[in-house]
Amino acid sequence: MSLYESEDPDMTTDLDTPPPAPPAGGDPAPPLGPWRRALRGLASSPAAVLSGLGILLIVLAMALAPAYAKYVAKTDPFRSGLSAKIMIDGTRVPVMQRSTEGLGLGVTPIGPTWGPQYFLGADNQGRDVAARFLYGGQNSLFIAGAATLLCLACAALVGIVAGYAGGAIDAVLSNLIDMIWAFPVYLLAISLSIVMLGKSFDFGPIHLSSSSLILPIVIIGLVYVPYVARPVRGRVIAITNSEFVLAARALGIRPSRILWRHILPNVATTLIVFAPMLMALNIVTESSLSFLSVGVQAPNASWGTILQDGQALLYSRPVVSMAPGIAIMVTVMLLNLFGDVLRDILDPKSVRGR
Amino acid sequence: MTDPTPAAPILTVRDLRVSFAGARKSWNRVVHGLSLDVAAGETVALVGESGSGKSVTSLAMMRLLDPATSRIEGSITLDGHELLALSEADMVAKIRGQRATMIFQEPMTSLHPIYTVGDQLIEALTCHRPMAASAARKAAVALMERVRIPDAARRLDDYPHAFSGGMRQRVMIAMALASRPKLLIADEPTTALDVTVQGEILSLLKELQAEYGMAMLFVTHDMGVVAEMADRTVVMLRGDVVEEGTTEQVFRAPRQPYTRALLASVPALGSMAGEPVPLRFPVIDIATGAATPGTPLARQPDFSAPLLEVRDLVTRFDVRGGLLRRKVARVHAVENLSFAIHPAETLALVGESGCGKSTTGRAIIRLAGGQSSGSVRLGATELFGLDAARLRRQRREIQMIPQDPLASLNPRMTIGEALVEPFLEHRMGPFAAARAKAARLMDQVGLAPQMLERFPHEFSGGQRQRLCIARALMLDPKVIIADESVSALDVSVKAQVVNLLLDIQERTGIAFLFISHDIAVVERISHRIAVMYQGEIVEIGPRAAVMETPLHPYTRRLIDAVAIPDPARRHLRRSQPPSDLMNPIRDLSFVPPSRRYREATPGHFVRED
Amino acid sequence: MLAAMLSRLARMVVVMLGISILTFLIFFATPGADPAARIAGRNAAPETVAAVRHDFGLDQPIWVQYGAMMRKMFITGDLTSFVNRGEKIVPTLRAAAPVTLSLVAGAAVLWMALGALTGILAAATRGRWPDKMLMGLSMMAVAMPVFWVGEMVNLITQSRLHNTWAFSWVPPLGYVPFTESPLRWALALVFPWLTLAFLYIGLYGRMLRTGIIETYQEDYIRTARAKGLTARRVLLKHATRSAIIPVVIMFGMDFGVLVGGAAVLTEVVFGLNGVGRLTYQALKVLDLPMIMASVLYASFFVVLANAIVDLLCILIDPRMRRK
């Protein structure tokens, strides 16, 4: 590939003959709908297949957390184990060791044993980092995934209402989107979480304790709504003014059916294209908020909270910070890679047409 | 023209083969061994329909194809240089913009939008021959004057968006002439332009070619343009040369069936003189060359009572701007339009881009947006007084066939779903009846009913237009508005679709409002013609009257500008001054003048100016 | 032109007003949020809470509180902290501003220069190894949380390799004012700059590369090539100039947000007492006046950056000059 003009061979061989040769009698091949074409495109892209498998593998690994804690590490990663001792090379070693730094007053948790127990060492409370890493991964992925769905749902609602209704409703919603956009995301997220985490959250019959995962999901899910709602609105407007919607109106199709059958399925691609990228963004956001201690709250773990635990141990036990950091990096890279392929396949902008 | 190669050829192409990289490292060949010569001062036309490989050939000659995904083999010799042996750096240093230059189809997108026209012209002048800034500027002004851009010195500092399409194409030509090339390749240079502007650009090219003594390779699909411009003609089909000869020979005595079929499908202005009713295109079998002459339309319109009556139709759009997005101007897209269509009649609405003909079509079914007023009566129903629900039901009676069939089919619905949907929405019967009708209509428009399970992208352009026709027919409409419905189709496909429309009219008695810029097609298909200019009808009357005795000066200009596919009837005037179409944007205070029409002969009205 | 600028200005004021009201509502009207209880402390008696409420004027109607706060912030300038009583908000903010500005401005120069280089180089070598390498790196840069990159940088430069020749010059974490010593200012900021810039180099490099490649599909690029321009000139003058416009828009937004305090993570990791950290700390202790001031400060920069970007676009892209 290079930057030069690349002629689409399809365009040059079309002399009013349909692209695929019509099956001559017999069993016709099933028609390829846009969705199945997209799936086929994904399946034929090595980058998409590999990154998809990678993501699946990470999710599966994290799902094994309880089994790992129970059968391999034989520990409860949510209880502090300051006085625990483990066997290494036949000797019993305390998990919290005398500090070798400074005056030797404090204690330093044990480093990686590379064995079944305390594989990645312990944190400041003597908990098994490897087990917490897996549990934390569960939470990080769950929060990011749920927040992605929430964000897509809200953005779809706002974008579709604004784009389809137009007029005053659109003006109000668009200005609101712009305003929230002008608000730095991290400050907004921190503000929301501080207010909500301040004490437990009571709103009518809903009661959420501050350690609930719902709060970070809601916060992370909401802050990126403008980023998705704006392009969704643009897409809805484009489709509403498209030739085929005009044709549907000229045919006398009911407005509700036009919205449901003609506009929404075509907006869906925009939302799907956003999903992996948003998921990646949410993983980073979750870790940042938890790092600032305004995300996931104790005793729950996430990759972000482990990074926060690791902050104090950065120079003595860097592995506590390195493991979740690398996990985040790999997961986000895989998601972005997958997202890139997905966008190339689904985004009409990348489809060349004259 | 008696001597086809007056001098040694400037450009010699031998056995040119072009392939593109396909899936799994295969190569798809799209040009199979093309050979041609172009001599200085000579024009050779490369003609073909879409997919013939003509544009690819022209890009290959400039080596503008991506070397990573394309392969060019054979030999291209230009002025003593073997182009396929040159390095990319040598192409830049010796060929492109020096010995050979090129102009393209889309003047609207071919100029860089963020540099002034002057910058781009001066760049073309100086990139091969360094010169002082003031000298370059002077040379640029001279070039702009040479291509007849009015007020050249001042317009040099304008950006492309301030120029109309025709003016931009003039700038492109000026840029191509900057280095006094030996060869000018023109790739569909007038296809995107209005017919009057096309005439001007063609005559300008002819004139400049004579002056500069250039060889010209003219790539086009338009047989009228070929007849007007070319000394010799090369006809291509799916990457092969099927016929080659002097333009006279090719048009007078085509040897190959394909060429004959192609020429038979080309509507020629004036060929309908003396024909009383619309006439189908003759059909020629490409394989055997056997010709079936076109039959005239058997069904006569019923002029006893109008079916659709439009009175004083006005459509305006506000232009907003400034601090509070207030109205600052108004587009008078349609002004005081009145006409009637009768059962089984075709009324054609002709005009150039921006004249309001498409807006008229949409305003009739109240889909134009903006503010519309006036009266549209369909039988006894006044459409402009209906509420949304009744209007929706009423839309059954008037259907539309769009210009771009692919865009007007929902990509996520199968053809079956798309056809059945309107039938069910209007509660015309149960699902089984809808399916049966859809299958029957598919058959009527010449497609297999099994294709109902397919998606729009699996069809070719002509098939998609047939699908749109079938979809419109699902509702048994009384009137069909065909908005540039055949304009984007290849000539042979265009002829087939026109024939299909005539078949449908003969069978069902549907009335057509046929909106088009293509006067030659209009002449073939219509009973009456209305000519639109700047939102108003300037002339309306029976087809023969309007075409043979045009009364309004604009109608005459329009008819004169059409290139006729007959080299014996070359008629484009040389040294035409450029005419820019006026846009219909007016101040808010603008009051449209009241118009009077004179009835020259019965039913033939012309605006009194 | 004047009308356009006035309209911009009016819009700026409206957006900032909206943001201030939004912030105020988040802290006062969110269910479950009771600022008085937060200020009074975890186990305060109800009387204490009531006293605090009265003391801080939190028992007045919301719009009165809002008005009073705005008046103190902009007119009298004597807004004081709820938490560190007596601490004046405006001077505190003024002291933090140069730290953030130094950090962000330096990083911005780095990321614009390197981001542009990355994008152009990758586009020019599309599909070959420099492109693959640069895009791989960019993908990594985008995937790493900025605070984690900062931690890893600290781990290397402050701890593991600090005593080697490579990093022994790295000063301890913290900020040195430019007026005190320009050299030490720069040395202290080298790694914060690199850390912050890393992410954006990746983002901008990818964006510019995509933009250039898309621009190469335009008809006007074909015109430029047919004119006989060299490949380099087509790339730099014709393709990059068009593709850089969205990058400039993005830059304006990012710069504004970061100066306004979104660099909080970098500031925290490198111990820089900038606006972001100030805001974060105010948020943690729910110091309402400080929160309001810093949020308004942040939104001011965002809105200003947007206005400047609009102006810049008009300069770069003549199509936007129409009307």
Side-chain angles (χ1 to χ4, degrees), chain C residues 56-308:
Chain C
F56 286 90
L58 296 172
D59 49 354
Q60 285 169 309
I62 269 186
W63 60 88
V64 176
Q65 292 182 43
Y66 177 78
M69 193 171 272
M70 290 295 121
R71 197 188 68 237
K72 280 196 211 155
M73 196 174 330
F74 290 112
I75 298 167
T76 56
D78 60 353
L79 190 65
T80 55
S81 165
F82 276 4
V83 178
N84 306 314
R85 305 207 69 173
E87 187 193 11
K88 287 246 170 76
I89 299 286
V90 178
T92 311
L93 206 54
R94 202 175 291 150
V99 181
T100 302
L101 205 62
S102 303
L103 169 68
V104 177
V109 171
L110 267 179
W111 92 57
M112 269 317 258
L114 294 179
L117 200 68
T118 303
I120 293 171
L121 212 66
T125 61
R126 180 183 178 193
R128 299 203 299 275
W129 66 265
D131 173 38
K132 285 180 179 155
M133 202 187 70
L134 285 170
M135 283 308 103
L137 267 175
S138 302
M139 203 143 207
M140 240 169 88
V142 175
M144 291 190 280
V146 66
F147 64 90
W148 185 71
V149 177
E151 284 195 328
M152 292 301 116
V153 165
N154 280 344
L155 178 64
I156 292 166
T157 63
Q158 299 284 346
S159 166
R160 289 299 189 269
L161 297 179
H162 186 69
N163 296 326
T164 66
W165 56 270
F167 298 112
S168 56
W169 56 271
V170 181
L173 299 181
Y175 177 73
V176 181
F178 185 78
T179 47
E180 203 178 295
S181 158
L183 179 69
R184 281 173 49 220
W185 169 84
L187 284 182
L189 284 170
V190 165
F191 282 105
W193 282 338
L194 285 171
T195 302
L196 184 57
F198 191 45
L199 162 72
Y200 290 96
I201 293 170
L203 272 177
Y204 285 34
R206 276 167 63 96
M207 189 171 167
L208 188 62
R209 173 184 179 272
T210 313
I212 291 175
I213 289 171
E214 271 172 15
T215 309
Y216 262 83
Q217 308 295 331
E218 298 283 348
D219 290 345
Y220 56 77
I221 295 293
R222 194 177 54 188
T223 306
R225 296 185 61 221
K227 258 201 293 204
L229 302 186
T230 58
R232 173 196 297 258
R233 198 176 165 89
V234 173
L235 173 67
L236 295 180
K237 193 179 168 194
H238 287 254
T240 305
R241 175 84 183 263
S242 300
I244 205 113
I245 292 170
V247 176
V248 168
I249 293 173
M250 182 102 155
F251 173 76
M253 310 253 284
D254 285 338
F255 189 80
V257 170
L258 286 173
V259 170
V264 50
L265 289 159
T266 316
E267 289 176 8
V268 167
V269 170
F270 287 102
L272 302 169
N273 284 312
V275 177
R277 205 165 178 225
L278 193 70
T279 313
Y280 168 55
Q281 279 159 353
L283 280 164
K284 273 184 110 169
V285 293
L286 215 71
D287 189 353
L288 278 174
M290 189 57 119
I291 293 171
M292 286 301 290
S294 49
V295 165
L296 277 182
Y297 174 86
S299 61
F300 171 74
F301 277 101
V302 172
V303 174
L304 186 73
N306 271 318
I308 292 174

Side-chain angles (χ1 to χ4, degrees), chain B residues 584-598:
Chain B
I585 301 178
R586 304 273 180 269
D587 283 342
L588 290 174
S589 57
F590 177 78
V591 179
S594 65
R595 304 292 196 184
R596 291 161 51 113
Y597 289 83
R598 175 169 66 86

